[in-house]
Amino acid sequence: MSIGLITNQIISGITLGFSYALVGAGISLIWGTLKMINLAHGELYMLGAYFAWLAITLGRIPVIPSILIGIVCVVIVSLVIQLTTVRPLLKDTKELGTKPYVLTMGLSILLQNSALLIFGERYQNIPYYIDKTYKFFDGKITLAGQRVLIIAASFSVIVALMVVIKYTKIGRAIRATAQDGVYASVMGVNVRLVYATTYVISGLLAAVAGIMLAPIYSVNPWMGTAVQTKGMACCVLGGLGSVEGAILGGLVIGVAESLTVNIIGTQWKDVVAYLILVAMLWLRPTGLLGKKGSV
Amino acid sequence: MQPGFIVCLLFFGLLAIFPLIIRESYILHVGILCMMYSCYTSSWNLVSGFAGIFGLGFQALAGVGGYVSALLVINRGISPWIGIFIGAFCSMIIGAFFSIPSLKMKEMPYIAISSMCLGEVVRLIVANTPEVTRGEMGLSGMQDFPNIGPLSFSGGNRTSYWYLILVFLILYVTIVNHIVKSPLGRAMNAIRDSQSAAASLGVNVTKTKITIYLISSFMMGVIGGFYAHYMQVLTPSSVLGPLTMTLIVAMVLVGGNATIAGPIIGAFALTITTEFLRIFGDYRLVAYGVIIVLSVIFLPQGIWGTLRLKILPYLNKKSEKSITT
């Protein structure tokens, strides 16, 4: 195997890793504040891709407004989901347990099959947003513009998220709620607002990931499930509740997958990714960046 | 006699005479599915409900039992009666691996996600080795169970399968009831409430967890074998796919977590609901999703839990009143 090939694989692994990280960051954020796994996260990703596809192919709207339309629509959908289903459930926070798991699973079945009924089971395609290929070292290393765009968009969205969490008022409220919801509300944090905001931000992350990846993978009602499982694996690998962890986990799994494709074969890439997760957690149960004692 | 025991006897008695009255093959098939899912949910509830370990991926354990049993029957000509127990033994070995995530980790999502990934690994391995398992083309050609007395299993005779799965269900309910009341059950409860407290009181946490996983996965494996010989066809996506686990979790939660009757009520309720929803045609799964969401919001304790909490005390009060007046 030539060095050029390996480099190409690593680059595509990094692209993959960033998109997993974007999905994982949303799951991680929700776990951090709401202490629940959102199994409908993949469906928000799927809806983002569908809304963008509707705007681009049926609405004939230019790319950048279409992307914004997709994001706004998903933000509205996730706000509706939060207000109608998650909020009633959060009334008794003590006995949350496994209920959110089943609730969001029901939501996922609902959204997936609604999409199937509305958009049909045909796989839809979105043209590449950037249709250029960059070549380096006499064409040994190629870089598709779409991949550069994915890395750039994911990176900037994640950095923006981290800035919001670290430096803004709502970010401080989110961190306080993540540490202790009851205590935060005693200190005057509007916890219900924080829950709603977190859910909406996570929906936004899912939408960005879905819209960015839609040109590479075709748009279909089931596209969210596989990515969601990967995203969850990444954020658990990195340490749940930390956005940095989701990025690191995403990169590890993405690169491992791309290399497996070349070394062992395409059909074994998911096996390798999941086994890495299980082995890593056996050695370090808190995840790569998780705090000791938080598990 | 306890009232619970009488209800249990009535329920199983009803199930026992049901095929004598109704002989329609479709209804019997739905009933068999209900009882099969009741067995699955009862086994999973041991781990999730009574021990409080939210491990997923259990569909893989049932699937391993089914695949091993089917392969032995097809390739080695072993009787299915022996096959399903060898299959279940293999499920038990895989179950030991599945207990690994729960040993070191305590928080729910870590256990849930890593065991879900293990389940996916099993599915992918089966799907990627078509030379042995025939992959997505489907494994078929298992023998029927040999006849026992008047019960003939040839040609997928629904009545015989009905009684077979009923025997398994009664056995499973008895086993779960015994385990919950045994020292092991007490240890499981202690672990669910607080691991550190349980450990400080002398409960061997690791041993208890592994034991409960082994028991549960053996139980899953037996029913997986039953499924293989009843359905006569196995594909990785239908047997090992995450949808089966989704159904099991929904059934347990809708029925009532950590109770003996709850998972069975949930399995019957959701299986029958799914069949009734067929009148909605394409909207069936949408309606199914809505039902799950609504039941989680409005019946947080599950059907049985709500009944027990809200209605039974009311009935008791009434009967007390009638005694005093």
mmCIF file with all atom_site columns, all heavy atoms in Angstrom, chain A residues 31 98 101 105 113 117 232 240 267 282 294, chain B residues 54 56 100 104 107 110 116 128 246 283 285:
data_model
loop_
_atom_site.group_PDB
_atom_site.id
_atom_site.type_symbol
_atom_site.label_atom_id
_atom_site.label_alt_id
_atom_site.label_comp_id
_atom_site.label_asym_id
_atom_site.label_entity_id
_atom_site.label_seq_id
_atom_site.pdbx_PDB_ins_code
_atom_site.Cartn_x
_atom_site.Cartn_y
_atom_site.Cartn_z
_atom_site.occupancy
_atom_site.B_iso_or_equiv
_atom_site.pdbx_formal_charge
_atom_site.auth_seq_id
_atom_site.auth_comp_id
_atom_site.auth_asym_id
_atom_site.auth_atom_id
_atom_site.pdbx_PDB_model_num
ATOM 1   N N   . TRP A 1 31  ? -26.976 14.416  27.020 1.00 0.00 ? 31  TRP A N   1
ATOM 2   C CA  . TRP A 1 31  ? -26.707 13.585  28.189 1.00 0.00 ? 31  TRP A CA  1
ATOM 3   C C   . TRP A 1 31  ? -26.203 14.452  29.330 1.00 0.00 ? 31  TRP A C   1
ATOM 4   O O   . TRP A 1 31  ? -26.614 14.296  30.469 1.00 0.00 ? 31  TRP A O   1
ATOM 5   C CB  . TRP A 1 31  ? -25.705 12.484  27.871 1.00 0.00 ? 31  TRP A CB  1
ATOM 6   C CG  . TRP A 1 31  ? -25.206 11.849  29.122 1.00 0.00 ? 31  TRP A CG  1
ATOM 7   C CD1 . TRP A 1 31  ? -23.971 11.992  29.674 1.00 0.00 ? 31  TRP A CD1 1
ATOM 8   C CD2 . TRP A 1 31  ? -25.944 11.028  30.024 1.00 0.00 ? 31  TRP A CD2 1
ATOM 9   N NE1 . TRP A 1 31  ? -23.897 11.315  30.857 1.00 0.00 ? 31  TRP A NE1 1
ATOM 10  C CE2 . TRP A 1 31  ? -25.095 10.709  31.094 1.00 0.00 ? 31  TRP A CE2 1
ATOM 11  C CE3 . TRP A 1 31  ? -27.245 10.538  30.026 1.00 0.00 ? 31  TRP A CE3 1
ATOM 12  C CZ2 . TRP A 1 31  ? -25.505 9.927   32.163 1.00 0.00 ? 31  TRP A CZ2 1
ATOM 13  C CZ3 . TRP A 1 31  ? -27.649 9.755   31.097 1.00 0.00 ? 31  TRP A CZ3 1
ATOM 14  C CH2 . TRP A 1 31  ? -26.780 9.455   32.138 1.00 0.00 ? 31  TRP A CH2 1
ATOM 15  N N   . THR A 1 98  ? -35.080 4.740   32.666 1.00 0.00 ? 98  THR A N   1
ATOM 16  C CA  . THR A 1 98  ? -34.990 4.331   31.270 1.00 0.00 ? 98  THR A CA  1
ATOM 17  C C   . THR A 1 98  ? -36.124 4.898   30.433 1.00 0.00 ? 98  THR A C   1
ATOM 18  O O   . THR A 1 98  ? -36.210 4.614   29.251 1.00 0.00 ? 98  THR A O   1
ATOM 19  C CB  . THR A 1 98  ? -35.041 2.802   31.191 1.00 0.00 ? 98  THR A CB  1
ATOM 20  O OG1 . THR A 1 98  ? -36.173 2.365   31.942 1.00 0.00 ? 98  THR A OG1 1
ATOM 21  C CG2 . THR A 1 98  ? -33.804 2.181   31.746 1.00 0.00 ? 98  THR A CG2 1
ATOM 22  N N   . TYR A 1 101 ? -35.358 6.817   27.237 1.00 0.00 ? 101 TYR A N   1
ATOM 23  C CA  . TYR A 1 101 ? -34.876 5.916   26.196 1.00 0.00 ? 101 TYR A CA  1
ATOM 24  C C   . TYR A 1 101 ? -36.043 5.420   25.356 1.00 0.00 ? 101 TYR A C   1
ATOM 25  O O   . TYR A 1 101 ? -36.042 5.489   24.133 1.00 0.00 ? 101 TYR A O   1
ATOM 26  C CB  . TYR A 1 101 ? -34.145 4.744   26.857 1.00 0.00 ? 101 TYR A CB  1
ATOM 27  C CG  . TYR A 1 101 ? -33.614 3.732   25.891 1.00 0.00 ? 101 TYR A CG  1
ATOM 28  C CD1 . TYR A 1 101 ? -32.357 3.874   25.350 1.00 0.00 ? 101 TYR A CD1 1
ATOM 29  C CD2 . TYR A 1 101 ? -34.377 2.646   25.503 1.00 0.00 ? 101 TYR A CD2 1
ATOM 30  C CE1 . TYR A 1 101 ? -31.874 2.964   24.442 1.00 0.00 ? 101 TYR A CE1 1
ATOM 31  C CE2 . TYR A 1 101 ? -33.908 1.737   24.599 1.00 0.00 ? 101 TYR A CE2 1
ATOM 32  C CZ  . TYR A 1 101 ? -32.650 1.895   24.079 1.00 0.00 ? 101 TYR A CZ  1
ATOM 33  O OH  . TYR A 1 101 ? -32.186 0.997   23.168 1.00 0.00 ? 101 TYR A OH  1
ATOM 34  N N   . MET A 1 105 ? -37.201 6.501   21.607 1.00 0.00 ? 105 MET A N   1
ATOM 35  C CA  . MET A 1 105 ? -37.287 5.396   20.659 1.00 0.00 ? 105 MET A CA  1
ATOM 36  C C   . MET A 1 105 ? -38.629 5.434   19.926 1.00 0.00 ? 105 MET A C   1
ATOM 37  O O   . MET A 1 105 ? -38.687 5.261   18.709 1.00 0.00 ? 105 MET A O   1
ATOM 38  C CB  . MET A 1 105 ? -37.151 4.103   21.447 1.00 0.00 ? 105 MET A CB  1
ATOM 39  C CG  . MET A 1 105 ? -36.961 2.882   20.652 1.00 0.00 ? 105 MET A CG  1
ATOM 40  S SD  . MET A 1 105 ? -36.864 1.527   21.811 1.00 0.00 ? 105 MET A SD  1
ATOM 41  C CE  . MET A 1 105 ? -38.558 1.364   22.260 1.00 0.00 ? 105 MET A CE  1
ATOM 42  N N   . ASN A 1 113 ? -40.995 6.736   10.174 1.00 0.00 ? 113 ASN A N   1
ATOM 43  C CA  . ASN A 1 113 ? -42.064 6.252   9.313  1.00 0.00 ? 113 ASN A CA  1
ATOM 44  C C   . ASN A 1 113 ? -42.892 7.378   8.724  1.00 0.00 ? 113 ASN A C   1
ATOM 45  O O   . ASN A 1 113 ? -43.442 7.231   7.630  1.00 0.00 ? 113 ASN A O   1
ATOM 46  C CB  . ASN A 1 113 ? -42.934 5.257   10.072 1.00 0.00 ? 113 ASN A CB  1
ATOM 47  C CG  . ASN A 1 113 ? -42.170 3.969   10.295 1.00 0.00 ? 113 ASN A CG  1
ATOM 48  O OD1 . ASN A 1 113 ? -41.976 3.209   9.374  1.00 0.00 ? 113 ASN A OD1 1
ATOM 49  N ND2 . ASN A 1 113 ? -41.688 3.760   11.510 1.00 0.00 ? 113 ASN A ND2 1
ATOM 50  N N   . LEU A 1 117 ? -43.533 7.894   4.777  1.00 0.00 ? 117 LEU A N   1
ATOM 51  C CA  . LEU A 1 117 ? -44.821 8.138   4.139  1.00 0.00 ? 117 LEU A CA  1
ATOM 52  C C   . LEU A 1 117 ? -44.803 9.415   3.304  1.00 0.00 ? 117 LEU A C   1
ATOM 53  O O   . LEU A 1 117 ? -45.371 9.470   2.224  1.00 0.00 ? 117 LEU A O   1
ATOM 54  C CB  . LEU A 1 117 ? -45.913 8.254   5.208  1.00 0.00 ? 117 LEU A CB  1
ATOM 55  C CG  . LEU A 1 117 ? -46.364 6.962   5.846  1.00 0.00 ? 117 LEU A CG  1
ATOM 56  C CD1 . LEU A 1 117 ? -47.371 7.247   6.936  1.00 0.00 ? 117 LEU A CD1 1
ATOM 57  C CD2 . LEU A 1 117 ? -46.970 6.048   4.797  1.00 0.00 ? 117 LEU A CD2 1
ATOM 58  N N   . MET A 1 232 ? -23.150 7.758   18.922 1.00 0.00 ? 232 MET A N   1
ATOM 59  C CA  . MET A 1 232 ? -23.202 7.364   20.330 1.00 0.00 ? 232 MET A CA  1
ATOM 60  C C   . MET A 1 232 ? -21.920 6.650   20.721 1.00 0.00 ? 232 MET A C   1
ATOM 61  O O   . MET A 1 232 ? -21.358 6.888   21.794 1.00 0.00 ? 232 MET A O   1
ATOM 62  C CB  . MET A 1 232 ? -24.402 6.467   20.579 1.00 0.00 ? 232 MET A CB  1
ATOM 63  C CG  . MET A 1 232 ? -25.693 7.225   20.494 1.00 0.00 ? 232 MET A CG  1
ATOM 64  S SD  . MET A 1 232 ? -27.033 6.387   21.323 1.00 0.00 ? 232 MET A SD  1
ATOM 65  C CE  . MET A 1 232 ? -27.381 5.109   20.226 1.00 0.00 ? 232 MET A CE  1
ATOM 66  N N   . LEU A 1 240 ? -18.781 10.616  27.855 1.00 0.00 ? 240 LEU A N   1
ATOM 67  C CA  . LEU A 1 240 ? -20.064 11.293  27.668 1.00 0.00 ? 240 LEU A CA  1
ATOM 68  C C   . LEU A 1 240 ? -20.087 12.606  28.418 1.00 0.00 ? 240 LEU A C   1
ATOM 69  O O   . LEU A 1 240 ? -19.523 12.728  29.490 1.00 0.00 ? 240 LEU A O   1
ATOM 70  C CB  . LEU A 1 240 ? -21.197 10.414  28.202 1.00 0.00 ? 240 LEU A CB  1
ATOM 71  C CG  . LEU A 1 240 ? -21.932 9.549   27.198 1.00 0.00 ? 240 LEU A CG  1
ATOM 72  C CD1 . LEU A 1 240 ? -22.957 8.718   27.924 1.00 0.00 ? 240 LEU A CD1 1
ATOM 73  C CD2 . LEU A 1 240 ? -22.598 10.402  26.152 1.00 0.00 ? 240 LEU A CD2 1
ATOM 74  N N   . GLN A 1 267 ? -16.726 -4.648  4.655  1.00 0.00 ? 267 GLN A N   1
ATOM 75  C CA  . GLN A 1 267 ? -17.815 -5.156  5.491  1.00 0.00 ? 267 GLN A CA  1
ATOM 76  C C   . GLN A 1 267 ? -17.411 -5.296  6.959  1.00 0.00 ? 267 GLN A C   1
ATOM 77  O O   . GLN A 1 267 ? -18.263 -5.450  7.811  1.00 0.00 ? 267 GLN A O   1
ATOM 78  C CB  . GLN A 1 267 ? -18.360 -6.476  4.942  1.00 0.00 ? 267 GLN A CB  1
ATOM 79  C CG  . GLN A 1 267 ? -17.483 -7.672  5.113  1.00 0.00 ? 267 GLN A CG  1
ATOM 80  C CD  . GLN A 1 267 ? -16.552 -7.860  3.918  1.00 0.00 ? 267 GLN A CD  1
ATOM 81  O OE1 . GLN A 1 267 ? -16.033 -6.899  3.352  1.00 0.00 ? 267 GLN A OE1 1
ATOM 82  N NE2 . GLN A 1 267 ? -16.323 -9.098  3.525  1.00 0.00 ? 267 GLN A NE2 1
ATOM 83  N N   . TRP A 1 282 ? -13.259 -1.132  28.325 1.00 0.00 ? 282 TRP A N   1
ATOM 84  C CA  . TRP A 1 282 ? -12.826 -2.138  29.293 1.00 0.00 ? 282 TRP A CA  1
ATOM 85  C C   . TRP A 1 282 ? -11.581 -1.651  30.001 1.00 0.00 ? 282 TRP A C   1
ATOM 86  O O   . TRP A 1 282 ? -11.416 -1.808  31.212 1.00 0.00 ? 282 TRP A O   1
ATOM 87  C CB  . TRP A 1 282 ? -12.575 -3.454  28.563 1.00 0.00 ? 282 TRP A CB  1
ATOM 88  C CG  . TRP A 1 282 ? -12.096 -4.557  29.434 1.00 0.00 ? 282 TRP A CG  1
ATOM 89  C CD1 . TRP A 1 282 ? -10.925 -5.228  29.311 1.00 0.00 ? 282 TRP A CD1 1
ATOM 90  C CD2 . TRP A 1 282 ? -12.768 -5.117  30.555 1.00 0.00 ? 282 TRP A CD2 1
ATOM 91  N NE1 . TRP A 1 282 ? -10.831 -6.173  30.288 1.00 0.00 ? 282 TRP A NE1 1
ATOM 92  C CE2 . TRP A 1 282 ? -11.936 -6.138  31.072 1.00 0.00 ? 282 TRP A CE2 1
ATOM 93  C CE3 . TRP A 1 282 ? -13.978 -4.863  31.190 1.00 0.00 ? 282 TRP A CE3 1
ATOM 94  C CZ2 . TRP A 1 282 ? -12.287 -6.890  32.177 1.00 0.00 ? 282 TRP A CZ2 1
ATOM 95  C CZ3 . TRP A 1 282 ? -14.326 -5.619  32.297 1.00 0.00 ? 282 TRP A CZ3 1
ATOM 96  C CH2 . TRP A 1 282 ? -13.488 -6.620  32.771 1.00 0.00 ? 282 TRP A CH2 1
ATOM 97  N N   . SER A 1 294 ? -16.812 9.910   37.458 1.00 0.00 ? 294 SER A N   1
ATOM 98  C CA  . SER A 1 294 ? -18.075 10.411  36.921 1.00 0.00 ? 294 SER A CA  1
ATOM 99  C C   . SER A 1 294 ? -18.932 9.282   36.381 1.00 0.00 ? 294 SER A C   1
ATOM 100 O O   . SER A 1 294 ? -20.067 9.490   35.990 1.00 0.00 ? 294 SER A O   1
ATOM 101 C CB  . SER A 1 294 ? -17.820 11.443  35.824 1.00 0.00 ? 294 SER A CB  1
ATOM 102 O OG  . SER A 1 294 ? -17.254 10.811  34.712 1.00 0.00 ? 294 SER A OG  1
ATOM 103 N N   . PHE B 2 54  ? -29.053 -1.649  32.551 1.00 0.00 ? 54  PHE B N   1
ATOM 104 C CA  . PHE B 2 54  ? -29.730 -1.419  31.289 1.00 0.00 ? 54  PHE B CA  1
ATOM 105 C C   . PHE B 2 54  ? -28.863 -1.910  30.136 1.00 0.00 ? 54  PHE B C   1
ATOM 106 O O   . PHE B 2 54  ? -28.338 -1.135  29.357 1.00 0.00 ? 54  PHE B O   1
ATOM 107 C CB  . PHE B 2 54  ? -30.079 0.053   31.136 1.00 0.00 ? 54  PHE B CB  1
ATOM 108 C CG  . PHE B 2 54  ? -31.119 0.313   30.097 1.00 0.00 ? 54  PHE B CG  1
ATOM 109 C CD1 . PHE B 2 54  ? -32.414 -0.143  30.279 1.00 0.00 ? 54  PHE B CD1 1
ATOM 110 C CD2 . PHE B 2 54  ? -30.808 1.001   28.952 1.00 0.00 ? 54  PHE B CD2 1
ATOM 111 C CE1 . PHE B 2 54  ? -33.379 0.089   29.322 1.00 0.00 ? 54  PHE B CE1 1
ATOM 112 C CE2 . PHE B 2 54  ? -31.780 1.240   27.983 1.00 0.00 ? 54  PHE B CE2 1
ATOM 113 C CZ  . PHE B 2 54  ? -33.060 0.782   28.177 1.00 0.00 ? 54  PHE B CZ  1
ATOM 114 N N   . LEU B 2 56  ? -28.260 -3.682  26.581 1.00 0.00 ? 56  LEU B N   1
ATOM 115 C CA  . LEU B 2 56  ? -29.031 -3.893  25.356 1.00 0.00 ? 56  LEU B CA  1
ATOM 116 C C   . LEU B 2 56  ? -28.379 -5.019  24.558 1.00 0.00 ? 56  LEU B C   1
ATOM 117 O O   . LEU B 2 56  ? -27.522 -5.732  25.059 1.00 0.00 ? 56  LEU B O   1
ATOM 118 C CB  . LEU B 2 56  ? -29.086 -2.610  24.536 1.00 0.00 ? 56  LEU B CB  1
ATOM 119 C CG  . LEU B 2 56  ? -29.772 -1.441  25.227 1.00 0.00 ? 56  LEU B CG  1
ATOM 120 C CD1 . LEU B 2 56  ? -29.655 -0.202  24.382 1.00 0.00 ? 56  LEU B CD1 1
ATOM 121 C CD2 . LEU B 2 56  ? -31.218 -1.766  25.477 1.00 0.00 ? 56  LEU B CD2 1
ATOM 122 N N   . ILE B 2 100 ? -19.577 -8.006  30.366 1.00 0.00 ? 100 ILE B N   1
ATOM 123 C CA  . ILE B 2 100 ? -18.359 -7.221  30.593 1.00 0.00 ? 100 ILE B CA  1
ATOM 124 C C   . ILE B 2 100 ? -18.635 -5.727  30.776 1.00 0.00 ? 100 ILE B C   1
ATOM 125 O O   . ILE B 2 100 ? -18.172 -5.151  31.761 1.00 0.00 ? 100 ILE B O   1
ATOM 126 C CB  . ILE B 2 100 ? -17.335 -7.460  29.453 1.00 0.00 ? 100 ILE B CB  1
ATOM 127 C CG1 . ILE B 2 100 ? -16.776 -8.880  29.579 1.00 0.00 ? 100 ILE B CG1 1
ATOM 128 C CG2 . ILE B 2 100 ? -16.205 -6.449  29.494 1.00 0.00 ? 100 ILE B CG2 1
ATOM 129 C CD1 . ILE B 2 100 ? -15.842 -9.266  28.470 1.00 0.00 ? 100 ILE B CD1 1
ATOM 130 N N   . LYS B 2 104 ? -17.572 -2.971  34.905 1.00 0.00 ? 104 LYS B N   1
ATOM 131 C CA  . LYS B 2 104 ? -16.754 -1.835  35.321 1.00 0.00 ? 104 LYS B CA  1
ATOM 132 C C   . LYS B 2 104 ? -17.529 -0.533  35.331 1.00 0.00 ? 104 LYS B C   1
ATOM 133 O O   . LYS B 2 104 ? -17.157 0.391   36.015 1.00 0.00 ? 104 LYS B O   1
ATOM 134 C CB  . LYS B 2 104 ? -15.557 -1.703  34.373 1.00 0.00 ? 104 LYS B CB  1
ATOM 135 C CG  . LYS B 2 104 ? -14.451 -2.678  34.707 1.00 0.00 ? 104 LYS B CG  1
ATOM 136 C CD  . LYS B 2 104 ? -13.151 -2.193  34.134 1.00 0.00 ? 104 LYS B CD  1
ATOM 137 C CE  . LYS B 2 104 ? -11.993 -2.987  34.703 1.00 0.00 ? 104 LYS B CE  1
ATOM 138 N NZ  . LYS B 2 104 ? -10.721 -2.491  34.201 1.00 0.00 ? 104 LYS B NZ  1
ATOM 139 N N   . GLU B 2 107 ? -22.825 3.837   35.023 1.00 0.00 ? 107 GLU B N   1
ATOM 140 C CA  . GLU B 2 107 ? -23.852 4.715   34.513 1.00 0.00 ? 107 GLU B CA  1
ATOM 141 C C   . GLU B 2 107 ? -24.533 4.111   33.294 1.00 0.00 ? 107 GLU B C   1
ATOM 142 O O   . GLU B 2 107 ? -23.898 3.460   32.466 1.00 0.00 ? 107 GLU B O   1
ATOM 143 C CB  . GLU B 2 107 ? -23.280 6.085   34.196 1.00 0.00 ? 107 GLU B CB  1
ATOM 144 C CG  . GLU B 2 107 ? -24.251 7.140   34.628 1.00 0.00 ? 107 GLU B CG  1
ATOM 145 C CD  . GLU B 2 107 ? -23.605 8.486   34.788 1.00 0.00 ? 107 GLU B CD  1
ATOM 146 O OE1 . GLU B 2 107 ? -22.475 8.583   35.284 1.00 0.00 ? 107 GLU B OE1 1
ATOM 147 O OE2 . GLU B 2 107 ? -24.243 9.454   34.398 1.00 0.00 ? 107 GLU B OE2 1
ATOM 148 N N   . TYR B 2 110 ? -23.425 4.298   29.289 1.00 0.00 ? 110 TYR B N   1
ATOM 149 C CA  . TYR B 2 110 ? -22.191 3.589   28.930 1.00 0.00 ? 110 TYR B CA  1
ATOM 150 C C   . TYR B 2 110 ? -22.488 2.110   28.709 1.00 0.00 ? 110 TYR B C   1
ATOM 151 O O   . TYR B 2 110 ? -22.070 1.510   27.724 1.00 0.00 ? 110 TYR B O   1
ATOM 152 C CB  . TYR B 2 110 ? -21.143 3.750   30.038 1.00 0.00 ? 110 TYR B CB  1
ATOM 153 C CG  . TYR B 2 110 ? -20.483 5.092   30.046 1.00 0.00 ? 110 TYR B CG  1
ATOM 154 C CD1 . TYR B 2 110 ? -21.036 6.150   30.734 1.00 0.00 ? 110 TYR B CD1 1
ATOM 155 C CD2 . TYR B 2 110 ? -19.301 5.307   29.350 1.00 0.00 ? 110 TYR B CD2 1
ATOM 156 C CE1 . TYR B 2 110 ? -20.433 7.391   30.740 1.00 0.00 ? 110 TYR B CE1 1
ATOM 157 C CE2 . TYR B 2 110 ? -18.683 6.538   29.350 1.00 0.00 ? 110 TYR B CE2 1
ATOM 158 C CZ  . TYR B 2 110 ? -19.268 7.579   30.047 1.00 0.00 ? 110 TYR B CZ  1
ATOM 159 O OH  . TYR B 2 110 ? -18.659 8.799   30.036 1.00 0.00 ? 110 TYR B OH  1
ATOM 160 N N   . MET B 2 116 ? -25.045 -2.377  23.191 1.00 0.00 ? 116 MET B N   1
ATOM 161 C CA  . MET B 2 116 ? -25.707 -2.286  21.890 1.00 0.00 ? 116 MET B CA  1
ATOM 162 C C   . MET B 2 116 ? -24.685 -2.520  20.773 1.00 0.00 ? 116 MET B C   1
ATOM 163 O O   . MET B 2 116 ? -24.960 -3.214  19.787 1.00 0.00 ? 116 MET B O   1
ATOM 164 C CB  . MET B 2 116 ? -26.311 -0.895  21.758 1.00 0.00 ? 116 MET B CB  1
ATOM 165 C CG  . MET B 2 116 ? -27.191 -0.692  20.576 1.00 0.00 ? 116 MET B CG  1
ATOM 166 S SD  . MET B 2 116 ? -27.997 0.897   20.712 1.00 0.00 ? 116 MET B SD  1
ATOM 167 C CE  . MET B 2 116 ? -26.668 1.988   20.293 1.00 0.00 ? 116 MET B CE  1
ATOM 168 N N   . ASN B 2 128 ? -21.582 -11.222 7.723  1.00 0.00 ? 128 ASN B N   1
ATOM 169 C CA  . ASN B 2 128 ? -20.376 -11.200 6.895  1.00 0.00 ? 128 ASN B CA  1
ATOM 170 C C   . ASN B 2 128 ? -19.777 -12.570 6.646  1.00 0.00 ? 128 ASN B C   1
ATOM 171 O O   . ASN B 2 128 ? -18.746 -12.679 5.990  1.00 0.00 ? 128 ASN B O   1
ATOM 172 C CB  . ASN B 2 128 ? -19.294 -10.321 7.545  1.00 0.00 ? 128 ASN B CB  1
ATOM 173 C CG  . ASN B 2 128 ? -19.652 -8.860  7.454  1.00 0.00 ? 128 ASN B CG  1
ATOM 174 O OD1 . ASN B 2 128 ? -20.524 -8.482  6.694  1.00 0.00 ? 128 ASN B OD1 1
ATOM 175 N ND2 . ASN B 2 128 ? -18.991 -8.036  8.239  1.00 0.00 ? 128 ASN B ND2 1
ATOM 176 N N   . THR B 2 246 ? -35.556 -3.247  20.445 1.00 0.00 ? 246 THR B N   1
ATOM 177 C CA  . THR B 2 246 ? -36.448 -2.103  20.621 1.00 0.00 ? 246 THR B CA  1
ATOM 178 C C   . THR B 2 246 ? -37.815 -2.565  21.096 1.00 0.00 ? 246 THR B C   1
ATOM 179 O O   . THR B 2 246 ? -38.383 -2.015  22.040 1.00 0.00 ? 246 THR B O   1
ATOM 180 C CB  . THR B 2 246 ? -36.608 -1.377  19.274 1.00 0.00 ? 246 THR B CB  1
ATOM 181 O OG1 . THR B 2 246 ? -35.326 -1.094  18.761 1.00 0.00 ? 246 THR B OG1 1
ATOM 182 C CG2 . THR B 2 246 ? -37.392 -0.115  19.421 1.00 0.00 ? 246 THR B CG2 1
ATOM 183 N N   . TYR B 2 283 ? -49.822 3.488   7.770  1.00 0.00 ? 283 TYR B N   1
ATOM 184 C CA  . TYR B 2 283 ? -49.664 4.344   8.941  1.00 0.00 ? 283 TYR B CA  1
ATOM 185 C C   . TYR B 2 283 ? -49.410 3.541   10.214 1.00 0.00 ? 283 TYR B C   1
ATOM 186 O O   . TYR B 2 283 ? -49.311 4.087   11.296 1.00 0.00 ? 283 TYR B O   1
ATOM 187 C CB  . TYR B 2 283 ? -50.906 5.220   9.130  1.00 0.00 ? 283 TYR B CB  1
ATOM 188 C CG  . TYR B 2 283 ? -51.080 6.206   8.014  1.00 0.00 ? 283 TYR B CG  1
ATOM 189 C CD1 . TYR B 2 283 ? -51.803 5.885   6.878  1.00 0.00 ? 283 TYR B CD1 1
ATOM 190 C CD2 . TYR B 2 283 ? -50.478 7.462   8.077  1.00 0.00 ? 283 TYR B CD2 1
ATOM 191 C CE1 . TYR B 2 283 ? -51.944 6.781   5.837  1.00 0.00 ? 283 TYR B CE1 1
ATOM 192 C CE2 . TYR B 2 283 ? -50.600 8.369   7.045  1.00 0.00 ? 283 TYR B CE2 1
ATOM 193 C CZ  . TYR B 2 283 ? -51.343 8.016   5.922  1.00 0.00 ? 283 TYR B CZ  1
ATOM 194 O OH  . TYR B 2 283 ? -51.454 8.906   4.894  1.00 0.00 ? 283 TYR B OH  1
ATOM 195 N N   . LEU B 2 285 ? -46.830 1.855   11.571 1.00 0.00 ? 285 LEU B N   1
ATOM 196 C CA  . LEU B 2 285 ? -45.678 2.107   12.435 1.00 0.00 ? 285 LEU B CA  1
ATOM 197 C C   . LEU B 2 285 ? -45.709 3.511   13.019 1.00 0.00 ? 285 LEU B C   1
ATOM 198 O O   . LEU B 2 285 ? -45.226 3.738   14.127 1.00 0.00 ? 285 LEU B O   1
ATOM 199 C CB  . LEU B 2 285 ? -44.382 1.871   11.662 1.00 0.00 ? 285 LEU B CB  1
ATOM 200 C CG  . LEU B 2 285 ? -44.062 0.383   11.511 1.00 0.00 ? 285 LEU B CG  1
ATOM 201 C CD1 . LEU B 2 285 ? -42.943 0.180   10.525 1.00 0.00 ? 285 LEU B CD1 1
ATOM 202 C CD2 . LEU B 2 285 ? -43.672 -0.214  12.847 1.00 0.00 ? 285 LEU B CD2 1
#
